Amino acid sequence: MDLLKKKINEEGVVLSDSVLKVDSFLNHGVDPHLMDAIGEEFAGRYGEQSITKVLTIESSGIAPGLMAALKLGVPMIFARKRQSLTQSEGLITSKVYSFTKKEENTISVSGKYIHKGDKVLIIDDFLANGQAAWGLIELAEKAGAEVAGVGIVIEKSFQDGGEILRKKGFRVDSLAQIESLEAGRIRFKEVKAAEANLS
Ligand code: 5GP
């Protein structure tokens, strides 16, 4: 997705060999036009899949998740990282180790909003080691829903989350794939045209 790559090149800050900061448009400030285009892209890729819900995780998955849901014409639900007082009945939980915060969170969704018969598109901002994606897959599966695929805004291909998910048979669609952040430089993975739909 050229618009996204341009934004990453212009505004992304390489914090280390493994961490990219994109606070200006995705993780703190949010660019609505870019989110709109991201939603359109995911909807184009999953439009024929009879998706009934978009499932994401707070907080940075919400913007792309919501736009994907809007364009697909389905509701979005986000997994919470902290339990809310108003949310206690029928909770489905799973554990996720956070790559950026280096801590384990119990994430949860209410079984009221996701259940058997749902076909779910999982959306997140980044894919690194895959912990967040597996946590969301576990939530969907515990709820009895089917996972149609995992849509990621930025995949860091030098970490193994994407490879493991694909090897396990999950469809993973990443809108930008980063091959390396070494020496402070962002290098994108070249995706061949034939692979593009499955990348
Ligand atoms: P994973 O669970 O795949 O190891 O990591 C994905 C989660 O960690 C995402 O939800 C994202 O919030 C965060 N994350 C992982 N790598 C990065 C990164 O390089 N930059 C930012 N901003 N967040 C990241």
Side-chain angles (χ1 to χ4, degrees), residues 38-164:
I38 284 171
E40 195 76 48
E41 181 70 29
F42 283 131
R45 294 182 188 213
Y46 283 88
E48 307 295 310
Q49 297 294 314
S50 309
I51 301 297
T52 64
K53 301 268 163 68
V54 169
L55 175 65
T56 186
I57 182 165
E58 65 175 347
S59 52
S60 295
I62 294 178
L66 182 66
M67 294 313 287
L70 178 69
K71 307 280 176 178
L72 285 163
V74 300
M76 182 205 80
I77 176 165
F78 65 89
R80 288 177 180 266
K81 288 178 179 162
R82 270 179 220 94
Q83 209 169 319
S84 144
L85 284 177
T86 58
Q87 194 200 27
S88 57
E89 278 170 53
L91 270 195
I92 301 164
T93 62
S94 97
K95 291 207 187 314
V96 169
Y97 182 79
S98 164
F99 174 80
T100 42
K101 302 204 174 90
K102 310 280 178 230
E103 63 184 26
E104 192 174 74
N105 291 120
T106 298
I107 63 166
S108 61
V109 290
S110 163
K112 202 167 149 191
Y113 301 116
I114 178 164
H115 33 71
K116 194 167 183 308
D118 274 326
K119 195 166 177 193
V120 170
L121 169 61
I122 288 171
I123 298 281
D124 203 9
D125 59 339
F126 272 86
L127 178 59
N129 297 317
Q131 294 280 321
W134 282 112
L136 291 169
I137 289 170
E138 193 182 338
L139 289 184
E141 290 182 343
K142 278 186 178 172
E146 181 190 342
V147 175
V150 179
I152 297 292
V153 180
I154 304 173
E155 175 177 348
K156 293 181 293 179
S157 307
F158 55 88
Q159 290 169 299
D160 62 5
E163 195 186 333
I164 294 171

